[in-house]
Amino acid sequence: MLSKILEVQKVGRFERLEASRITFTKVLLVFGENGWGKSTLADLLRSAATGSAAIVEGRETLASAGTQKVRLLFERLPAEYSLGVWTGHRPMIAVYDQCFINDNVYSGDAVSLDHLKRQYGIVIGSTGVLLVRAIDQLTDQVNEFDKAFRDAEAIINAALRTHNVQLKLPAFVALETDDAIIRLIDEKTTEIGIVEKSAEIARLTLPDALDVPTEAAIFQNVLDRGIDDMATGAHQALHDHIAKHSRQLAKGDELVLPQEAWLEAGLQYQNSDKCAFCGQFLADRTLIDTYTVFFSNQYKLLSAEVRKRRATLQRYINGDFKKQVLGKLAENASRWQAWCTLTGVLAPEDNSDTVKELIGELEECARALNRFFELKQEDLAEPVAHPDLQNTLAIWSERRKGILTLNEEIEAHRTTLNALRAKYAAGNLGNLKAQLALLNARRLRADATIQTAVLSRQKADENKTRYTNERARRRAELTTYSNTVATTLGGNINTYLHRLGAGFEIDYQKPNFRSKEPAAEYHILIKNVRVPPRSGDDNIAQPSFRNTLSTGDKSVLALAFFLASLASDSRLAETIVVLDDPFTSLDEFRRTFTANEIKKLVSKSKQVIVLSHDKAFLRLLWERIDHALITCVAVQTGAPGISTLTRFDIETSTLPRHETERTKMLDFLDDTVGDPPEIRALLRKVLEYFYRQADPQSFTQSETLDGIIRIMKSAQADYVYKAALETLEEINFYTRNFHHAPVSGSVNEETNVEELKIYCRMVRDLTRGAV
């Protein structure tokens, strides 16, 4: 329901409309003189309902500043027009005015095919019209989607021919895309080349594992071993003897041969009673026997083990191990290069720096371990227990693990290369080439232009199918709906024609679907004679709408069409019904029938708004409708450039007295009828009555023109009637001696007729729309 008109600016007659102080009710009766904005209000409501900005734009107020703006309030829901767009609530509004008649019934005195097409909307109601429009839109969209589908397919097929892709379009479209497709194609091309060289691949050598350092536990075992079954006395005697006769066989400061080792070496020559060292006969063999016990077989085995481990450590110290491992790394790199050249397989990262670092640390450990073995060699019978020994062995073990890890990687590569060799040996060249062709097709499928075309084709196909199915459903729905509505609508129209006192009927048939746009199909029945609504422009000899119906009959037919369309609308209870001068061109005797039909709409619709210049017709409605439901307003002026919507006392305004005062002034202005002094005094009354009625909150019902001017002066700058002050003061001065009646004793002042008419025009313009 329209509750308020908050603002209208620069639309039609309304350079600025003030109406926000009035809240509307179920029935809104609007009085306005012809040309004072009733049709503008009807068009504004039609525009708000349809969202058509063109309706407002076409009614832009000429020669005025500012921009168009409209703000309406539908209960608590705002609707606003600004900058060419409607926003907010979209109400359901049905408007009956000359625009409705011209669009749907007739123009001038003729019915055209376009009228019948648009009238079809009346036959089937708003629901059917929406169905027809939906079907038309669906058809256009189906055609657009079909064209888009065919255009996309043409792009794809051209690309398939250009790139010699041997796939049907659906299979091509179904291909998966892959961001790494170039890499996959390169790999497949390489694979084909490799299969062609499978014999060469079979002869390729695999990379070898690196030499693994001795386990730290072996070193630990040797250094921890003693001579468990050696006599303690022999051990001590040997050491005492060495201590007593010790001498150093030196080469510089370096000990060339430990005494114990020297003794062991010489003892092997002892095979008689002579000394193995000096050749003298030995009278006492105690010392020799001690040597023999000490240097037993167990001692010899341990000594050999120590020498062996020292020799191993010497390989590291001398760089022999490093040279051997780096040589193997270089050989492996050469083997990898051969594999890469033939198969394209990627070589592993170069880890020679890591190997060099590991071997360097192993060499440091070897030097430290060798010193521990020197200690062991000086006294084989005792385990070596040095505080740094365990740390050195731990470092050796960790670096050994590094070599083992590298060998694990080499073994994994060997497995990969063996699998690759087996694969290429068993490869089917034909299958590989087919796979390459498919990959090339996938690369084309991933092309940005093709992807866009495929997506367009897919969307077009989906939308075409969806809209085609929806169109078929809507067509079936429209056929059923149209036949049902058309069967009953003719009777409904005739019912309204009878109520409105028409002397004819309508013979309505099912709609005409012969052309793209369906059209209404009916004849006018006059005394059971069928008269077509249309005839040729020159065929005036044949009966038709043009020459068989009076102007009043044509207006009745239009109103009956409108009322019948409302009656068939299932959403009438949600609809605001607007009637702009519905009684225009109707015969006088139809006034009561029209008022009765409007009264019936009050209980069936959301709201009824009647705009009329005929106060008597508005009074007739006021008398028939519950006064509690009615808001009466009038479109008035009151200041230059300002229109106001003010409360309108329809009962009082239709009394003769209030007709007479302003009518006398207008009669004098038009025809110089009346006594000039009386008319001059009357100007104040017209102004006082107008402003009292226009703004009862500011002016009491007894306020004089002087008081009205005084109150306006003290009002805010944006007060609606502030712009009228200068004119009111001029009129007040002109009528100062005619304060309702000539003032006794005042100077007799002549009243010039032409000057009086100028002031009558000023009052008329200030009180446009007044009663």
Side-chain angles (χ1 to χ4, degrees):
M1 185 169 70
L2 178 65
S3 300
K4 281 191 174 185
I5 299 176
L6 300 175
E7 181 180 6
V8 178
Q9 179 175 297
K10 201 175 166 58
V11 182
R13 179 67 186 177
F14 305 128
E15 184 174 345
R16 178 182 166 196
L17 174 65
E18 293 289 340
S20 60
R21 290 177 295 177
I22 302 176
T23 300
F24 307 142
T25 52
K26 173 84 171 178
V27 179
L28 176 62
L29 304 181
V30 182
F31 168 72
E33 295 180 2
N34 286 328
W36 273 84
K38 299 187 304 299
S39 296
T40 298
L41 288 175
D43 261 354
L44 282 180
L45 293 174
R46 177 185 283 109
S47 180
T50 60
S52 171
I55 296 175
V56 180
E57 293 170 355
R59 280 188 168 271
E60 182 174 4
T61 304
L62 302 178
S64 62
T67 59
Q68 289 187 303
K69 191 169 184 180
V70 181
R71 290 193 302 128
L72 308 175
L73 186 65
F74 293 89
E75 296 176 278
R76 296 182 180 180
L77 302 174
E80 180 173 335
Y81 174 88
S82 179
L83 301 177
V85 177
W86 278 101
T87 57
H89 181 56
R90 184 67 61 81
M92 294 182 59
I93 302 177
V95 180
Y96 176 78
D97 58 1
Q98 195 59 46
C99 179
F100 172 86
I101 296 172
N102 290 339
D103 284 347
N104 302 292
V105 188
Y106 64 91
S107 294
D109 59 357
V111 177
S112 68
L113 178 60
D114 286 338
H115 285 119
L116 294 177
K117 289 178 179 179
R118 288 190 289 266
Q119 193 181 110
Y120 172 69
I122 296 177
V123 176
I124 59 175
S126 58
T127 301
V129 169
L130 291 176
L131 280 172
V132 171
R133 291 175 181 170
I135 291 171
D136 290 342
Q137 291 172 358
L138 288 168
T139 299
D140 292 340
Q141 288 165 332
V142 166
N143 292 336
E144 289 177 8
F145 292 135
D146 183 61
K147 182 179 183 302
F149 182 86
R150 287 183 279 105
D151 290 346
E153 282 205 336
I155 293 172
I156 298 170
N157 282 323
L160 294 180
R161 290 191 298 271
T162 300
H163 293 83
N164 195 30
V165 176
Q166 303 299 314
L167 286 175
K168 297 293 184 182
L169 191 143
F172 173 75
V173 168
L175 290 177
E176 294 183 357
T177 59
D178 193 327
D179 293 339
I181 192 65
I182 300 300
R183 177 178 59 79
L184 295 175
I185 289 174
D186 290 342
E187 290 175 354
K188 189 60 64 176
T189 302
T190 301
E191 188 176 348
I192 291 173
I194 291 170
V195 169
E196 292 173 342
K197 301 176 182 179
S198 58
E200 295 180 52
I201 294 173
R203 292 192 294 270
L204 290 177
T205 307
L206 299 175
D208 285 334
L210 306 178
D211 291 353
V212 179
T214 304
E215 292 187 41
I218 294 175
F219 294 132
Q220 177 83 58
N221 179 264
V222 174
L223 294 172
D224 285 348
R225 282 163 57 188
I227 310 300
D228 297 332
D229 56 354
M230 183 183 295
T232 303
H235 186 216
Q236 186 61 46
L238 176 63
H239 279 278
D240 290 344
H241 178 76
I242 291 174
K244 181 177 179 181
H245 301 285
S246 176
R247 70 185 182 87
Q248 193 174 39
L249 300 176
K251 184 179 181 181
D253 292 333
E254 182 181 354
L255 180 63
V256 176
L257 188 63
Q259 294 89 333
E260 189 173 301
W262 176 78
L263 290 173
E264 179 193 2
L267 191 60
Q268 63 182 315
Y269 298 105
Q270 178 59 38
N271 56 7
S272 67
D273 291 335
K274 292 181 180 180
C275 176
F277 307 100
C278 66
Q280 299 180 46
F281 283 101
L282 298 175
D284 181 4
R285 291 181 53 88
T286 303
L287 184 60
I288 296 301
D289 292 339
T290 298
Y291 291 166
T292 303
V293 171
F294 186 87
F295 295 111
S296 63
N297 288 334
Q298 187 175 1
Y299 177 92
K300 292 177 181 178
L301 290 174
L302 179 56
S303 178
E305 187 72 20
V306 169
R307 288 194 299 273
K308 178 180 178 182
R309 298 308 163 198
R310 289 195 68 188
T312 298
L313 293 171
Q314 199 62 43
R315 289 181 61 235
Y316 292 91
I317 295 170
N318 294 340
D320 295 338
F321 181 81
K322 180 177 182 179
K323 182 178 180 181
Q324 182 173 350
V325 170
L326 292 181
K328 188 160 291 185
L329 281 177
E331 185 178 353
N332 283 348
S334 176
R335 293 175 181 180
W336 268 114
Q337 184 59 46
W339 279 95
C340 292
T341 302
L342 281 179
T343 67
V345 65
L346 296 178
E349 293 183 7
D350 181 7
N351 52 24
S352 58
D353 289 341
T354 301
V355 172
K356 289 176 182 178
E357 183 178 349
L358 288 172
I359 294 175
E361 294 181 3
L362 285 168
E363 289 174 347
E364 289 297 321
C365 288
R367 292 186 183 94
L369 288 172
N370 190 47
R371 288 193 289 270
F372 294 133
F373 274 96
E374 283 179 359
L375 295 175
K376 181 65 176 176
Q377 206 166 28
E378 290 177 4
D379 187 359
L380 291 173
E382 288 294 325
V384 176
H386 192 279
D388 293 335
L389 175 59
Q390 294 305 317
N391 183 53
T392 302
L393 289 172
I395 294 174
W396 180 277
S397 292
E398 285 299 318
R399 302 309 174 260
R400 182 178 184 276
K401 287 181 182 177
I403 299 295
L404 290 173
T405 299
L406 292 173
N407 280 341
E408 289 175 0
E409 294 177 3
I410 292 173
E411 184 57 32
H413 293 319
R414 288 171 59 88
T415 301
T416 300
L417 296 178
N418 273 323
L420 196 61
R421 179 150 49 195
K423 171 185 174 183
Y424 291 137
N428 184 305
L429 193 59
N431 288 341
L432 291 176
K433 288 184 177 180
Q435 292 170 15
L436 178 61
L438 187 61
L439 286 173
N440 281 318
R442 288 175 61 190
R443 178 172 62 179
L444 178 62
R445 175 66 176 80
D447 179 79
T449 302
I450 296 300
Q451 287 206 53
T452 300
V454 169
L455 185 61
S456 297
R457 175 184 178 275
Q458 177 184 346
K459 288 185 176 180
D461 188 45
E462 291 172 354
N463 288 329
K464 178 183 174 183
T465 300
R466 180 160 57 89
Y467 279 83
T468 298
N469 292 339
E470 178 64 11
R471 181 178 62 181
R473 187 184 69 80
R474 292 292 184 95
R475 278 177 173 168
E477 183 180 348
L478 176 63
T479 299
T480 302
Y481 184 81
S482 297
N483 292 342
T484 301
V485 172
T487 302
T488 59
L489 190 68
N492 290 339
I493 293 174
N494 286 330
T495 298
Y496 285 111
L497 290 174
H498 294 158
R499 290 176 184 172
L500 292 168
F504 60 92
E505 291 184 343
I506 290 291
D507 178 18
Y508 240 99
Q509 292 99 38
K510 293 179 181 179
N512 174 1
F513 289 96
R514 288 188 292 271
S515 61
K516 179 182 177 182
E517 296 182 52
E521 188 82 34
Y522 73 91
H523 285 80
I524 301 167
L525 291 179
I526 301 177
K527 297 182 179 179
N528 291 324
V529 176
R530 292 161 57 89
V531 176
R534 300 178 61 218
S535 64
D537 293 339
D538 299 328
N539 191 11
I540 60 174
Q542 296 296 323
S544 67
F545 177 90
R546 179 198 302 271
N547 53 24
T548 57
L549 297 183
S550 67
T551 301
D553 285 338
K554 293 171 185 175
S555 297
V556 168
L557 178 60
L559 183 58
F561 276 137
F562 179 75
L563 295 174
S565 69
L566 293 180
S568 64
D569 192 344
S570 61
R571 302 182 67 180
L572 177 58
E574 305 169 44
T575 302
I576 299 170
V577 179
V578 180
L579 300 107
D580 181 16
D581 268 333
F583 196 68
T584 301
S585 299
L586 292 183
D587 297 326
E588 185 67 22
F589 75 92
R590 289 172 175 146
R591 178 187 299 264
T592 301
F593 293 108
T594 305
N596 287 338
E597 295 306 322
I598 293 175
K599 176 186 176 182
K600 293 174 184 177
L601 285 175
V602 172
S603 61
K604 298 176 181 179
S605 62
K606 182 81 172 178
Q607 184 182 29
V608 174
I609 300 175
V610 180
L611 306 104
S612 180
H613 71 284
D614 189 338
K615 286 182 287 186
F617 181 67
L618 293 176
R619 174 66 183 264
L620 192 61
L621 290 173
W622 182 80
E623 290 175 348
R624 279 164 171 70
I625 300 171
D626 183 355
H627 295 174
L629 302 177
I630 300 177
T631 299
C632 292
V633 297
V635 181
Q636 299 182 344
T637 180
I642 300 294
S643 297
T644 59
L645 210 58
T646 59
R647 292 197 177 275
F648 175 55
D649 187 345
I650 193 168
E651 184 176 23
T652 304
S653 68
T654 50
L655 295 176
R657 172 180 173 275
H658 296 290
E659 292 266 358
T660 303
E661 290 177 347
R662 194 165 186 273
T663 301
K664 282 183 178 180
M665 179 192 74
L666 296 177
D667 287 345
F668 180 81
L669 180 61
D670 294 337
D671 300 317
T672 320
V673 176
D675 179 46
E678 179 185 356
I679 300 300
R680 189 171 181 177
L682 194 63
L683 297 181
R684 300 180 70 89
K685 291 184 178 182
V686 174
L687 288 172
E688 288 166 350
Y689 179 77
F690 175 83
Y691 286 108
R692 289 169 190 164
Q693 297 299 113
D695 190 1
Q697 294 179 348
S698 300
F699 311 120
T700 66
Q701 292 303 308
S702 60
E703 195 65 72
T704 64
L705 182 58
D706 292 314
I708 290 171
I709 292 172
R710 186 170 54 255
I711 293 170
M712 284 187 182
K713 283 182 176 180
S714 63
Q716 297 291 329
D718 60 351
Y719 179 62
V720 62
Y721 297 131
K722 195 87 169 180
L725 262 175
E726 185 177 341
T727 304
L728 289 175
E729 289 179 326
E730 187 176 345
I731 296 171
N732 187 39
F733 181 79
Y734 176 70
T735 60
R736 66 192 184 284
N737 289 331
F738 296 88
H739 185 64
H740 296 280
V743 179
S744 177
S746 64
V747 177
N748 186 22
E749 183 179 347
E750 293 291 333
T751 299
N752 180 275
V753 170
E754 293 305 319
E755 182 182 37
L756 177 58
K757 285 191 175 183
I758 292 174
Y759 282 94
C760 285
R761 290 190 189 95
M762 293 167 66
V763 173
R764 180 199 63 187
D765 291 342
L766 283 179
T767 61
R768 287 278 189 184
V771 295

